[in-house]
Amino acid sequence: MSSIVSNSDLLQCAVSAARAAGNHALENSSRRREVSEKSQHDVKLALDRECQQKAEQVIQSAFREHKILGEEWGFYHEGDEHLWIIDPIDGTVNFMHGLPFWCSSIAVRHRGEIVAGAVYLPAMKECYTATADSPAFCNDEPIHVSDVEQLEDALVLGGLSKHLGKDNSTLDTFIAMSQRAQKSRLMGAAAVDLCNVACGRADGYFESMIHLWDIAAGGLIVQRAGGKAEVLEQIGDVSFRYLCSNGRVHGEMKEILVSTLGGEG
Ligand code: LIP
């Protein structure tokens, strides 16, 4: 295929890849407890790897020369022309236990900018999409962030560090956020959280250490739905302190994150 490719072509492929990965997980959910690696507070499933393979097959058959970075394997080079960023199962622990809040997330980065993203939630039958030059959609219906103005009226979502015990600052943030928001929730799948912000079911999302594959597609979807996504601090090549919101409660959330976690103000 030509190296000049439109964002909508990239999105079409991202949707097919997300559906291939997500449907493979759903169809094989009887195998959801096949563990390949276990650590404290986390797990890798045989299906994580299989689903990444399914997504890669779709991408490589359309864009053989493009590079791939997945949660399960892959390489990240700052200078990659096109980079596909895959989380084959985001919310792995939810999936393993049978909770429906998990998804397959695929984003495409072109010269350092995320230009297309698809997040597919097989158990909820929802597919969220956006490109850098189009609005955000859920199942082809346009979506928009909420118009909640103040944190005291907001539902905020977040994630807890996998390194609880060594670093409890993430708990301090969660407590502080819970004291100021109407409610806070830990749902267990960052890309799903971002889509919930994008469609206005939640008003903000924060996490103190999150990876590129968890937020790349969802972050674009939030922005194209009218919200704001912000890296507060880069921790490693592909990990960040991260905040996104409907834009209106952003300042209040950021103040709490900066005062409890540190990072850039
Ligand atoms: C998980 C996230 C979750 C976050 C975890 C983890 P995985 O991704 O989406 O919300 O709190 O730190 O990164 O491992 O299920 O793909």
Side-chain angles (χ1 to χ4, degrees):
M1 190 170 284
S2 140
S3 60
I4 299 171
V5 55
S6 70
N7 290 344
S8 70
D9 288 342
L10 293 169
L11 181 63
Q12 211 180 355
C13 181
V15 169
S16 303
R19 286 188 182 277
N23 288 334
H24 183 75
L26 188 67
E27 284 155 17
N28 287 278
S29 53
S30 59
R31 294 173 47 222
R32 68 181 193 265
R33 289 183 183 271
E34 277 179 27
V35 172
S36 65
E37 228 181 285
K38 191 172 179 294
S39 57
Q40 198 181 19
H41 306 304
D42 204 15
V43 72
K44 290 272 174 217
L45 303 179
L47 282 169
D48 280 313
R49 299 178 72 84
E50 289 175 28
C51 292
Q52 181 163 327
Q53 261 163 357
K54 294 284 174 194
E56 285 190 9
Q57 281 163 6
V58 172
I59 296 161
Q60 281 167 342
S61 68
F63 302 107
R64 183 158 298 281
E65 73 284 9
H66 290 189
K67 301 285 187 284
I68 293 179
L69 170 70
E71 178 172 11
E72 306 312 312
W73 60 76
F75 295 100
Y76 173 81
H77 299 292
E78 194 53 48
D80 284 333
E81 176 79 4
H82 280 100
L83 180 69
W84 290 74
I85 302 163
I86 304 176
D87 193 343
I89 303 178
D90 181 38
T92 303
V93 176
N94 285 354
F95 172 76
M96 180 188 176
H97 287 268
L99 278 173
F101 311 120
W102 58 275
C103 64
S104 299
S105 169
I106 314 268
V108 195
R109 212 174 78 139
H110 180 231
R111 298 184 182 165
E113 186 200 352
I114 306 292
V115 293
V119 176
Y120 173 49
L121 287 68
M124 311 297 283
K125 297 187 170 50
E126 290 181 346
C127 186
Y128 293 83
T129 56
T131 70
D133 49 10
S134 73
F137 292 90
C138 174
N139 294 349
D140 300 323
E141 291 292 325
I143 53 171
H144 206 271
V145 294
S146 74
D147 56 9
V148 168
E149 294 283 350
Q150 291 179 335
L151 194 51
E152 64 183 21
D153 299 317
L155 178 71
V156 297
L157 306 174
L160 278 188
S161 168
K162 291 174 185 174
H163 306 290
L164 281 180
K166 291 186 200 128
D167 170 17
N168 284 334
S169 58
T170 181
L171 275 178
D172 298 338
T173 308
F174 188 72
I175 291 166
M177 206 65 86
S178 305
Q179 284 165 340
R180 293 269 300 276
Q182 184 186 47
K183 282 287 179 199
S184 48
R185 298 274 185 256
L186 296 169
M187 310 279 283
V192 174
D193 291 349
L194 290 167
C195 292
N196 281 322
V197 174
C199 71
R201 291 177 187 145
D203 310 298
Y205 157 83
F206 63 95
E207 189 141 358
S208 62
M209 225 286 273
I210 192 77
H211 291 101
L212 184 57
W213 43 80
D214 296 308
I215 55 170
L220 176 68
I221 292 166
V222 168
Q223 287 172 302
R224 299 310 299 169
K228 182 167 176 177
E230 185 177 10
V231 169
L232 296 180
E233 188 182 346
Q234 181 143 10
I235 297 169
D237 273 355
V238 291
S239 49
F240 314 95
R241 293 197 194 290
Y242 190 75
L243 167 65
C244 89
S245 73
N246 65 0
R248 296 168 165 90
V249 298
H250 205 86
E252 283 187 88
M253 289 184 74
K254 185 168 175 175
E255 185 193 302
I256 294 168
L257 277 156
V258 170
S259 65
T260 52
L261 291 171
E264 288 165 25

